[in-house]
Amino acid sequence: MVSRVIPVEDFDLVIFGGTGDLARRKILPGLFRRFIAEQMPATSRIIGAARADMDRAAYQTLVRDAIAEFGGDEKEDTAGLEVFLAQLDYVAIDAMGDKGWDTLAGMMRDNVVKAFYFSVAPSLFGDLAERLHRFKIATAESRIVVEKPFGRDLESAKALNATLAAHFNEDQIYRIDHYLGKETVQNLMAVRFGNVLFEPLWNNHYVDHIQITVAETVGVGGRGAYYDKSGAMRDMVQNHLMQLLCLIAMEPPSQFGADAVRDEKLKVIRALEPVAPHHIVRGQYDANADGPSYREDASNPKSFTESFVAIKCHIANWRWTGVPFYLRTGKRMKSRVSEITVVFKDLGHSIFGDDGATHRNILSIRLQPNEGMDLQVTIKEPGPGGMRLIDVPLDMTFADALGDDAADVADAYERLIMDVIRGNQTLFMRGDEVEAAWAWTDPLIAGWEARHDVPKTYDAGSNGPEDALLLMHRDNRKWRDIKG
Ligand code: NAD
């Protein structure tokens, strides 16, 4: 199978914060991969814009080093790297002052797509947006890309939206949630809406419950002080897990277009019921031989911030009433796994007696590791010995099914940046979605703050606190094993 790469239009992409961690780790290596995949026109340009005083050659060196450190196999293409570096430029700029803006204005070309990646702290978004207009750099067709965190509550998210809306229309604003750029996440939509097999079963008649797990093995380490003001709910649930929940639960949009998809996602968020306190479990990892405790990492011995959260929630609509959605995410857990699991109901009647009744169909969609899906089906155990049933996976690991093509699959950031250039907002969050997500999240956080809820300690390298297991056990269900 030959992968089809469709080149994008000619563009000027300005990366504000072009010397920062995100730019070096993700954005620039990602762009290089798209360049090697021949998706970027040879005339397109990438302009780093950041505070540091450096010239173009120094910036090219910075990017060369970033690709050497964070790039994949494509960095072996040294000739390609030189051509890519020649497309780069740099301007030292002050987001809060006037330095560099005239220079940047002089660098921009007419008649190409203009995109501005705000890879800086959100407190600078307003300054950047205002200056892009004052210096006549942005036009009505220009696009801006903004990063998480998009606010820390409803009020701050509304303020950020208003700041951006003062200078840009909603169809110019691309709010990145890199989970939406993952191949499997889009495949989830292909599987749901491209097959007749699943959609008829995708409701409370056939689905027992749905689990969404995003487990990380890393702790909060170097970013402990920042994380301690946020916690798992704000850092992961309000955005990433919420987006996954939307895609798994939404009604079929009438077409695969930006507003049709986002309208359906918004309806899911708005239909989420408030969560009872005993359906929320928060945790903090303990120290072990491999590392310090959460409180040590956060340098806050009295921290009440959660590094783990598990939630049982419900969606109040015809499709999902009565079907619990169990969400959990945490740091320093057993393995690094992101997975959505749809557990179907037991057979209404088993002709195989008790044995048949204990087997279930389970569809699991893995975002990492080994992106892919598997569907657990029940078959007869081969060989003599009567009718014994076993569960086997119908495995759709992309790397196995698609061979080398799977290795060429664009990483989430690359795909999303190319979508910005193409002007496709389908995989980006709309302002009202972000606000609705905060509107659901805020009362949960306010609730545990008012209760002075103390997170439960859990062993680093485990499945999280005992109470999270109980959240399921009480319902006669259990979490999927977290295995990488
Ligand atoms: P960073 O601190 O490494 O880099 C910040 C960049 O902003 C630097 O290039 C710096 O020169 C520039 N900058 C700061 N003040 C400026 C000013 N006044 N004028 C012009 N430029 C200025 O930050 P980062 O980790 O790259 O994060 C950037 C943004 O992306 C943040 O909003 C962060 O929350 C978000 N984000 C980062 C990651 C990550 O993995 N690093 C992941 C998700 C989201």
Side-chain angles (χ1 to χ4, degrees):
M1 203 173 358
V2 178
S3 11
R4 284 174 296 160
V5 173
I6 302 168
V8 295
E9 273 179 70
D10 196 7
F11 65 86
D12 282 353
L13 169 66
V14 179
I15 309 174
F16 293 109
T19 58
D21 179 65
L22 182 67
R24 287 184 299 110
R25 276 195 310 119
K26 291 287 181 189
I27 305 171
L28 290 156
L31 283 164
F32 179 50
R33 261 172 67 93
R34 290 299 93 206
F35 172 82
I36 294 295
E38 298 180 358
Q39 198 163 15
M40 272 173 58
T43 46
S44 55
R45 291 184 330 157
I46 298 160
I47 302 168
R51 222 165 15 181
D53 279 316
M54 66 172 86
D55 60 13
R56 181 168 179 236
Y59 189 59
Q60 287 168 328
T61 303
L62 179 146
V63 177
R64 188 197 301 277
D65 293 346
I67 289 170
E69 190 173 355
F70 302 112
D73 293 345
E74 67 287 346
K75 67 188 172 205
E76 307 304 329
D77 186 345
T78 48
L81 179 59
E82 295 313 312
V83 183
F84 175 75
L85 293 176
Q87 293 184 227
L88 298 179
D89 214 333
Y90 181 78
V91 55
I93 212 158
D94 182 5
M96 295 187 290
D98 289 347
K99 178 186 164 188
W101 288 94
D102 281 325
T103 313
L104 178 60
M107 287 173 160
M108 304 298 293
R109 294 175 296 163
D110 294 330
N111 304 322
V112 294
V113 172
K114 292 190 211 12
F116 302 94
Y117 201 127
F118 290 9
S119 182
V120 295
S123 56
L124 295 178
F125 288 0
D127 292 301
L128 292 178
E130 188 268 324
R131 282 172 178 75
L132 281 173
H133 275 90
R134 181 145 54 87
F135 288 87
K136 301 194 171 19
I137 298 171
T139 65
E141 288 77 41
S142 300
R143 290 140 209 187
I144 58 167
V145 185
V146 296
E147 267 294 338
K148 89 169 201 187
F150 202 85
R152 56 171 281 108
D153 53 21
L154 177 58
E155 193 186 335
S156 53
K158 277 186 171 167
L160 260 187
N161 274 336
T163 303
L164 297 178
H167 302 285
F168 293 92
N169 295 327
E170 183 61 37
D171 64 6
Q172 296 180 277
I173 304 171
Y174 291 71
R175 292 175 196 77
I176 285 225
D177 184 324
H178 70 276
Y179 271 59
L180 291 180
K182 288 182 183 286
E183 184 73 9
T184 327
V185 169
Q186 291 163 77
N187 230 314
L188 172 58
M189 285 189 274
V191 164
R192 277 195 67 188
F193 305 129
N195 293 286
V196 291
L197 276 183
F198 296 105
E199 203 46 30
L201 306 179
W202 215 260
N203 55 51
N204 57 3
H205 297 292
Y206 296 99
V207 174
D208 178 75
H209 72 277
I210 290 178
Q211 303 184 16
I212 302 179
T213 295
V214 177
E216 298 175 281
T217 50
V218 291
V220 298
R223 54 193 279 269
Y226 158 81
Y227 186 93
D228 203 43
K229 295 192 199 76
S230 146
M233 188 72 170
R234 289 191 169 96
D235 192 49
M236 297 297 290
V237 177
Q238 184 274 343
N239 40 46
H240 305 317
L241 275 81
M242 179 70 78
Q243 289 296 321
L244 300 181
L245 174 72
C246 285
L247 295 177
I248 201 102
M250 71 183 186
E251 296 299 314
S254 61
Q255 48 162 310
F256 189 58
D259 276 327
V261 170
R262 296 186 302 176
D263 286 346
E264 296 306 334
K265 281 162 55 193
L266 180 62
K267 286 184 208 163
V268 173
I269 306 174
R270 289 190 173 152
L272 273 169
E273 291 182 358
V275 181
H278 64 285
H279 288 163
I280 305 173
V281 177
R282 299 193 312 133
Q284 281 179 344
Y285 57 80
D286 211 348
N288 70 0
D290 298 329
S293 70
Y294 172 76
R295 289 182 171 195
E296 287 164 325
D297 270 344
S299 308
N300 182 0
K302 293 195 176 132
S303 172
F304 282 2
T305 304
E306 75 285 357
S307 63
F308 172 99
V309 65
I311 298 172
K312 175 183 172 184
C313 56
H314 281 97
I315 298 171
N317 63 19
W318 274 39
R319 185 188 285 266
W320 293 120
T321 189
V323 179
F325 287 73
Y326 299 91
L327 319 179
R328 69 177 162 167
T329 180
K331 308 266 181 207
R332 292 292 305 276
M333 295 183 68
K334 197 160 115 188
S335 298
R336 179 167 174 259
V337 174
S338 299
E339 189 181 71
I340 306 170
T341 306
V342 181
V343 180
F344 291 92
K345 287 192 169 168
D346 289 337
L347 291 175
H349 165 74
S350 169
I351 64 166
F352 307 107
D354 288 349
D355 190 18
T358 56
H359 297 268
R360 278 185 159 181
N361 296 121
I362 297 175
L363 176 67
S364 68
I365 300 138
R366 283 186 313 275
L367 280 66
Q368 62 195 20
N370 310 327
E371 282 197 68
M373 306 196 185
D374 78 42
L375 177 64
Q376 183 177 296
V377 291
T378 303
I379 60 165
K380 178 191 169 298
E381 190 174 349
M387 193 58 150
R388 287 194 312 269
L389 303 180
I390 52 166
D391 295 327
V392 292
L394 281 179
D395 193 341
M396 295 173 271
T397 305
F398 300 150
D400 298 343
L402 304 178
D404 287 347
D405 275 357
D408 287 341
V409 166
D411 160 85
Y413 271 96
E414 301 162 31
R415 175 192 319 278
L416 293 173
I417 298 170
M418 291 299 108
D419 275 358
V420 173
I421 306 299
R422 278 190 283 253
N424 184 351
Q425 288 187 305
T426 310
L427 300 176
F428 295 84
M429 295 180 293
R430 211 167 52 190
D432 51 4
E433 266 184 85
V434 177
E435 289 184 14
W438 281 119
W440 180 74
T441 313
D442 276 2
L444 309 191
I445 297 174
W448 71 59
E449 284 178 354
R451 292 191 300 276
H452 302 291
D453 174 84
V454 184
K456 305 279 188 288
T457 305
Y458 61 93
D459 291 338
S462 74
N463 289 315
E466 282 289 308
D467 286 28
L469 307 181
L470 286 175
L471 185 70
M472 281 277 214
H473 290 174
R474 274 201 301 265
D475 297 343
N476 282 326
R477 299 186 175 106
K478 64 180 186 9
W479 292 103
R480 298 256 299 170
D481 192 18
I482 299 175
K483 50 172 189 269

